[in-house]
Amino acid sequence: MAKKISKRLNSLYESVKDKGALSLDEATISDFREIKGVGKKTAERIVKYRDEHQVTNIDELIHVKGVGKRKLERIKAFFNANEEVDDNKETEENED
């Protein structure tokens, strides 16, 4: 079992390494399930929460049932979604 888990994690690592960190906006249930400690139900809840709320920071996933501080830290390691939406940036660009 440990070899199978290690193989899956290595596969995910290679995938992330090749295409960069995952995007919170585009991550699928399958992507979340590849993260240690994230099962099917939690992955489904994360995607549902993301789709129903305007998530601007990955830290907001703490509000999802089944996501605690430790699990959130594991999730963060795979995502580039500490990317807060900068509404001011668009406004500044339009002022030029």
Side-chain angles (χ1 to χ4, degrees):
M1 174 113 177
K3 285 184 180 182
K4 185 176 181 180
I5 292 170
S6 178
K7 188 175 181 179
R8 284 180 54 193
L9 287 174
N10 285 337
S11 173
L12 179 61
Y13 170 77
E14 290 300 320
S15 173
V16 170
K17 185 177 82 170
D18 290 342
K19 63 183 174 183
L22 298 169
S23 168
L24 180 59
D25 293 336
E26 299 172 1
T28 65
I29 291 170
S30 295
D31 291 331
F32 282 105
R33 289 195 65 199
E34 293 294 326
I35 300 169
K36 180 182 177 185
V38 178
K40 181 181 179 187
K41 286 288 186 189
T42 303
E44 289 171 349
R45 288 182 192 127
I46 291 170
V47 171
K48 182 178 180 184
Y49 182 87
R50 177 202 61 202
D51 292 346
E52 292 178 352
H53 298 81
Q54 194 170 16
V55 177
T56 59
N57 188 298
I58 197 163
D59 290 320
E60 293 176 53
L61 296 182
I62 196 75
H63 302 293
V64 176
K65 182 180 177 182
V67 177
K69 290 180 182 179
R70 258 192 308 205
K71 194 172 291 182
L72 181 61
E73 290 305 313
R74 285 190 212 126
I75 292 169
K76 281 180 169 183
F78 289 92
F79 288 85
N80 58 353
N82 252 355
E83 51 189 39
E84 290 197 41
V85 175
D86 187 358
D87 294 329
N88 295 329
K89 185 176 181 181
E90 186 176 313
T91 305
E92 289 170 6
E93 289 173 357
N94 291 337
E95 289 176 0
D96 291 336

